[in-house]
Amino acid sequence: MTISTPAWNRQRPSGMPSHRYTDAYSRVEVPLTDTERRWPDRRITSAPLWVPVDLRDGNQALAEPMDPARKRRFFELMVRMGYTEIEVGYPSASQTDYDFVRLIADSDLAPDDVTIVVFTPARRDLIERTVESIRGIRNEVVIHMYTATAPVWRTTVLDKDRDELRELILAGGRDVWELAGHLPNVRFEFSPEVFNLTEPDYLIEVCDAITELWQASCERPVILNLPATVEIATPNVYADQIEYMHTRLARRDGVILSVHPHNDRGTGVACAELAVLAGAQRVEGCIFGNGERTGNVDIATLALNLHAQGVDPMIDFSDIDEIRRTVEYCNRIDVHPRHPYVGDLVHTAFSGTHQDAIKKGFAEHRARAAAEGRDQREIAWRVPYLPIDPADIGRSYDAVIRVNSQSGKGGIAYLLETEYGVVLPRRLQIDFSRHVQQLTDSTGEEVTAEEIWSLFTDVYLSGPEHPHMPIETAHVDEGTASTEMIVRVDDHAHRSTHAGVGPVEAAVRALADCGVELEILSLHQSSLTSGADAEAVTLIEYRGPSGPAWVAGRDRSTLAATLQAVARAADRLTALRRVAAASR
């Protein structure tokens, strides 16, 4: 095939075997006509129903699936954020999932307004197990049944023709109705998996048969969930497919049209947004986009995209760093520094011209608020390069206007890592940059690595070598997983034993026994030098009276360095609280 390109385009053929693949239009019919297509002219003016599937679909994609404690913590986070429909598991596939559904049934973990979704294949024994798991749940429940419907899956995976697969789906639907149709708090959902590669006429046939079987009505609507299980086309194709279904489904008033885009092409967010324009009312996905392969659609980005357009996302992201910490802990996967909205670097300008524009934008914002006699948080936001006010999601302005000084003044993080071996977490870099800025402003000169290290020592390792509230480990019993701690206050030793936790958690609990409530947000360790003489440096982020703060500990022993840092944080926290109490 000869391709004609303009003279200015000097790209050459790559040599990759692209001829092995066909475009989406060759793989599935997209019959929407130009006269029928309405979605390009629409706008999103309200949030769809968000349904996080982190506890099921996201959990299945983890190298280490969540244990019960992580599942519970993640569920509680979703409830606090405002999600009112949550897919909690695949109870027929995992005892952990089954037990978690039973926990919801036997406790008050789920508020009354939260709908619980459970997932099952169209197979009677698995449907029976699923229905058994929801027994006694007082909340509304959705039983979500799925079957793959695309031609390759039918022939290669299921070995069924169209009629045979339709009967398999309806048999599963009849089992669901027989076992749960009489339960007044239960509704039903069906996913024709790989919807986006399935023939449109077959989809209409199967989906209409299911909604008839499940007696879809306004009073008891059926959810039809149409997944882009594997992204294979540009987002406009998915929108056409959704609008085709939206305008042709029977019993449309009794159907909640849902989408579940994946992100194989990196366009999951765009697919979901165009699908909503095309008639979707409900979006399934994961917070920050975890999922098989390249992930499920990121429902945090989707929600904050609405916020940035002046539309209430109906979900609270006002403490996005706490949300990130919880998601990272539960998934054991770090969020990328450039991830939209939540990444540590997304409100950071390294470019001098960008930083200058942002600073001028902040100045204009403050002046406009003063001129109007209104709070800065109330007036329209129009600061260059920042789509939303970082304060909306709990971010400080220091992270925006100070971080650039690190690279501009000689690369603070790079010098500390290369010269001293200390790797600063991004949030500590942001905190430290304020102190470096003060130093460079006072000298007008570029600081050396030695000066940066001296400043770091003064800021985070200052104070007596032995803090006022020293902590030591008396004994760690690995057999019983218990730790004995000694906290010395005014030369009096407070001894305590803590079972089932490590030394850091034991130290925090021991401090609490002495009246010091210390919340550690993160802990990082580095080695100052290599070899037998290496000294350990422990960096601790803790919650101070005015927000997160940092301290460090340094010792030949990693454990000693860590306990020193914990004690130093307790000292500083106690001193600040005394000052605050004295000023009142």
Side-chain angles (χ1 to χ4, degrees):
M1 179 178 178
T2 302
I3 301 176
S4 176
T5 58
W8 49 262
N9 184 348
R10 298 181 181 181
Q11 295 177 150
R12 296 181 295 276
S14 68
M16 296 183 65
S18 302
H19 63 275
R20 299 178 60 204
Y21 306 100
T22 55
D23 63 28
Y25 295 92
S26 303
R27 301 175 69 184
V28 64
E29 183 185 7
V30 185
L32 201 65
T33 66
D34 289 341
T35 58
E36 295 173 311
R37 187 177 291 111
R38 296 285 180 266
W39 63 261
D41 297 325
R42 296 194 182 113
R43 298 181 182 181
I44 301 176
T45 57
S46 61
L49 175 63
W50 308 112
V51 182
V53 297
D54 300 79
L55 299 182
R56 193 278 301 172
D57 200 342
N59 191 44
Q60 288 177 284
L62 297 176
E64 295 180 71
M66 287 178 243
D67 54 39
R70 281 179 165 81
K71 291 202 79 166
R72 178 168 187 154
R73 182 170 171 180
F74 210 146
F75 181 84
E76 290 171 340
L77 170 72
M78 294 174 189
V79 170
R80 289 196 304 272
M81 293 173 68
Y83 291 106
T84 58
E85 188 164 318
I86 302 171
E87 189 171 77
V88 300
Y90 194 159
S92 66
S94 160
Q95 187 64 43
T96 300
D97 280 20
Y98 183 91
D99 291 343
F100 188 72
V101 179
R102 294 311 305 155
L103 173 65
I104 292 171
D106 297 334
S107 69
D108 58 358
L109 185 61
D112 292 342
D113 63 346
V114 172
T115 298
I116 302 301
V117 184
V118 289
F119 191 72
T120 181
R123 208 176 86 188
R124 185 176 180 88
D125 60 325
L126 303 181
I127 292 168
E128 288 174 341
R129 177 76 167 162
T130 303
V131 174
E132 178 187 339
S133 75
I134 66 169
R135 174 177 34 84
I137 293 182
R138 296 174 297 278
N139 301 69
E140 283 198 9
V141 175
V142 171
I143 296 177
H144 180 182
M145 187 185 82
Y146 79 97
T147 304
T149 55
V152 172
W153 276 255
R154 288 198 308 259
T155 57
T156 304
V157 181
L158 301 173
D159 193 24
K160 304 282 185 187
D161 62 24
R162 285 173 49 141
D163 291 339
E164 290 171 333
L165 184 63
R166 180 181 182 279
E167 181 49 40
L168 182 151
I169 292 168
L170 290 179
R174 286 190 289 269
D175 290 336
V176 168
W177 185 253
E178 173 193 337
L179 296 167
H182 62 286
L183 300 175
N185 64 323
V186 175
R187 293 185 289 111
F188 308 107
E189 175 179 356
F190 173 62
S191 285
E193 193 187 3
V194 209
F195 153 82
N196 56 324
L197 275 171
T198 305
E199 307 93 328
D201 65 315
Y202 186 59
L203 288 165
I204 292 289
E205 177 187 339
V206 170
C207 289
D208 284 351
I210 278 288
T211 57
E212 180 180 16
L213 173 61
W214 286 344
Q215 300 180 18
S217 66
C218 296
E219 296 74 26
R220 196 181 188 183
V222 168
I223 300 163
L224 289 179
N225 184 56
L226 308 178
T229 309
V230 181
E231 264 199 314
I232 52 90
T234 50
N236 60 295
V237 172
Y238 190 53
D240 280 352
Q241 292 173 314
I242 297 301
E243 188 163 31
Y244 182 85
M245 299 293 289
H246 166 58
T247 57
R248 286 165 173 79
L249 285 169
R251 290 164 287 279
R252 185 64 184 86
D253 290 345
V255 169
I256 299 171
L257 196 60
S258 175
V259 291
H260 181 122
H262 279 251
N263 197 44
D264 299 87
R265 290 169 52 92
T267 57
V269 166
C271 281
E273 290 179 328
L274 298 193
V276 171
L277 293 176
Q281 301 156 292
R282 178 181 183 271
V283 178
E284 295 183 355
C286 288
I287 302 172
F288 308 138
N290 175 51
E292 294 283 12
R293 306 180 309 278
T294 56
N296 293 287
V297 68
D298 177 356
I299 56 174
T301 296
L302 283 168
L304 288 169
N305 282 355
L306 290 185
H307 176 67
Q309 295 292 306
V311 177
D312 185 350
M314 309 300 282
I315 302 295
D316 183 4
F317 288 92
S318 58
D319 190 355
I320 202 164
D321 287 328
E322 176 60 27
I323 295 168
R324 185 201 67 241
R325 278 191 288 267
T326 300
V327 173
E328 287 179 331
Y329 167 77
C330 293
N331 287 341
R332 298 182 178 93
I333 297 175
D334 290 340
V335 172
H336 193 280
R338 298 291 183 187
H339 196 104
Y341 300 106
V342 67
D344 280 337
L345 297 179
V346 296
H347 298 122
T348 301
F350 287 99
S351 161
T353 55
H354 286 205
Q355 187 179 37
D356 180 62
I358 290 170
K359 288 181 177 178
K360 290 175 180 176
F362 275 127
E364 188 277 337
H365 188 79
R366 289 191 294 269
R368 183 159 38 93
E372 296 179 12
R374 299 167 64 192
D375 189 278
Q376 292 182 37
R377 294 295 305 277
E378 295 179 356
I379 65 171
W381 179 257
R382 56 192 191 206
V383 174
Y385 295 112
L386 299 177
I388 66 170
D389 184 347
D392 289 352
I393 53 177
R395 291 284 176 84
S396 71
Y397 294 140
D398 285 344
V400 177
I401 64 176
R402 295 307 235 183
V403 171
N404 188 57
S405 66
Q406 297 173 53
S407 56
K409 303 299 181 183
I412 300 167
Y414 175 78
L415 288 176
L416 284 182
E417 182 174 355
T418 56
E419 298 294 328
Y420 294 93
V422 178
V423 179
L424 300 186
R426 172 52 52 181
R427 290 184 293 282
L428 179 53
Q429 292 179 35
I430 293 168
D431 187 83
F432 189 35
S433 71
R434 295 183 294 110
H435 302 281
V436 175
Q437 186 71 54
Q438 292 170 6
L439 176 62
T440 55
D441 285 348
S442 66
T443 64
E445 298 176 356
E446 186 168 329
V447 292
T448 65
E450 185 178 1
E451 289 169 326
I452 292 173
W453 175 244
S454 176
L455 179 63
F456 181 87
T457 300
D458 290 343
V459 173
Y460 301 110
L461 285 161
S462 62
E465 192 65 23
H466 302 290
H468 298 104
M469 204 170 289
I471 305 167
E472 58 190 80
T473 305
H475 181 63
V476 178
D477 189 337
E478 296 181 359
T480 62
S482 64
T483 304
E484 185 177 3
M485 305 299 299
I486 298 174
V487 178
R488 298 188 183 276
V489 182
D490 298 329
D491 293 327
H492 178 69
H494 297 260
R495 191 182 301 268
S496 57
T497 301
H498 308 272
V501 298
V504 175
E505 181 65 19
V508 171
R509 293 185 183 183
L511 287 168
D513 292 341
C514 297
V516 180
E517 297 291 337
L518 175 65
E519 181 184 359
I520 294 178
L521 301 177
S522 63
L523 183 150
H524 307 265
Q525 292 173 330
S526 289
S527 179
L528 279 183
T529 56
S530 60
D533 297 357
E535 275 194 297
V537 172
T538 297
L539 311 170
I540 284 180
E541 182 185 24
Y542 67 99
R543 193 177 300 283
S546 58
W550 290 85
V551 293
R554 176 181 177 181
D555 197 272
R556 290 282 297 275
S557 161
T558 300
L559 178 58
T562 300
L563 294 180
Q564 185 190 118
V566 173
R568 184 165 283 120
D571 274 359
R572 293 190 179 185
L573 192 60
T574 302
L576 288 171
R577 286 172 177 167
R578 286 173 180 163
V579 171
S583 65
R584 287 199 291 268

